[in-house]
Amino acid sequence: MALLAISIFLTYYFHAILMLGTVFSHFFYIPIILTALWWEKRSILVAIFLGGLVVISSVLYRPDLLTLNDYGRALMFVVIAFVVASLSEQLKGREREEKKQRDLAQRYLDVAAVLFVVIGADHTIRLVNRHGCKLLGYREEELLGRDWFTAVVPEASREGRRRDFDAAIANNAAFPGRRENPVVTRNGDELILAWQDTVFTGDDGRAAGIIGSGADITDRIRAEEALRAAHGEANLYLDIMAHDINNANAVTLGYADLLVEALEGKEREMARKLRGGISRSIKIIQNVSTIRRLHSHETTARPVDLDAVIRDEIAHHPDARIAYEGKPVRVMADDLLPEVFANLIGNSIKFGESRAEIAVRVEKGDGTVGVSVEDTGPGVPDAVKPVLFTRFARGTSARSGKGLGLYITRTLIERYGGSIRVEDRVPGHPECGAAFRFTLRSDRTPEPPVSPAPAAGRMITARP
């Protein structure tokens, strides 16, 4: 309004006072452009007013000097107002759309239950969502514009994180994957965030900053630490208990063996039952230790000599009738593989007693090795087969155990990447014996030279 008043005064001063035909109307473009920027199309009325002012003033005070130039100048005022107003309208429309998109993005970020932050290449915080402010204990205006590393990164890791940030900006690539990053709240509490970020670029294609997101996993980390501590303490108690029970069992087993040798008749049979109970106690402790090792992931698969494992297990049963044709095969397993054969051969002996014949067969396949343990015992009823390998599943005979042996066997084989099933040794006749068949992954590395094994060829251990 001040510029319009000045324009009116200048027009009157040059025409009425100085009696000059020339008015310095270039000055009039300033109010016209400003009103076009501020008022958009309404600035055309201002341009018409100023153009008309020049023409009417000339007509009133110096009509002899009125020329086509004055009409052209008035028309130019209107054209300039229209063009600038149109451009201003487009720019403001883009600004409104950008603001709408920013507000929409901000609303999306605000409803997210994780921290979202945009950090510029100069380390300043450009944007932070509502949950991030709440998590860090600041208001949004207290964080915007501040140095991210100075404001929220712990001093101990500040320089390292700053170097990683600058390297990501320089390479235009953020650190891949998720990682755990600590942050410090306004109250000085340290939180651990599951952090992931990405670099964003400007219009010139250069890295302009990093967009980061972090989920608070402090409680989970502390719970895991407490769980590990409790797990370690429980394992300590189990180790002490297993050690002491095994020592007691060893002593008791020694005395039971002496009683079996010294007694006769019914007393000897009672001593044998006592010895069997002690053996079952030892087996329970062994199963518990095996399950602990299974769930602790202490070992990883490596090449294992399958032939040596089978021969060692057969050697533990010198009185059993076991047929096995040795084959130098290596499979991917670990130190717990003998448990598979201990359970399968042990079950065949336990259920079949002295009359059962056991056959162990190994067949090489394409990347796998098939193994079967067959016996001529009482077999497995069809109703039991589907649940035989589940935890605590038991057979139907009086000799059925606690249901852990075959569960451990299945768990181990699946851990090695194989599978196991039970079938009838003679299809359709469960009473003719059981056949446990499973697969293992073969070792694809070149096999080392195999030294001659004792009792090569077909090996049969028979009862005397």
Side-chain angles (χ1 to χ4, degrees), residues 223-235:
E224 289 175 352
E225 291 175 351
L227 184 62
R228 280 194 293 269
H231 186 264
E233 187 175 0
N235 279 336

Side-chain angles (χ1 to χ4, degrees), residues 365-430:
D366 184 15
T368 62
V369 175
V371 183
S372 63
V373 177
E374 305 173 8
D375 62 62
T376 59
V380 179
D382 291 338
V384 177
K385 287 186 178 74
V387 297
L388 189 63
F389 297 101
T390 57
R391 195 171 184 177
F392 301 124
R394 301 178 61 178
T396 57
S397 71
R399 292 178 173 269
S400 297
K402 300 299 181 183
L404 286 177
L406 291 179
Y407 165 75
I408 291 173
T409 298
R410 188 205 71 189
T411 304
L412 283 170
I413 290 172
E414 290 179 352
R415 181 180 181 181
Y416 304 147
S419 61
I420 186 171
R421 65 188 187 278
V422 60
E423 300 174 349
D424 299 330
R425 187 179 66 87
V426 178
H429 296 276

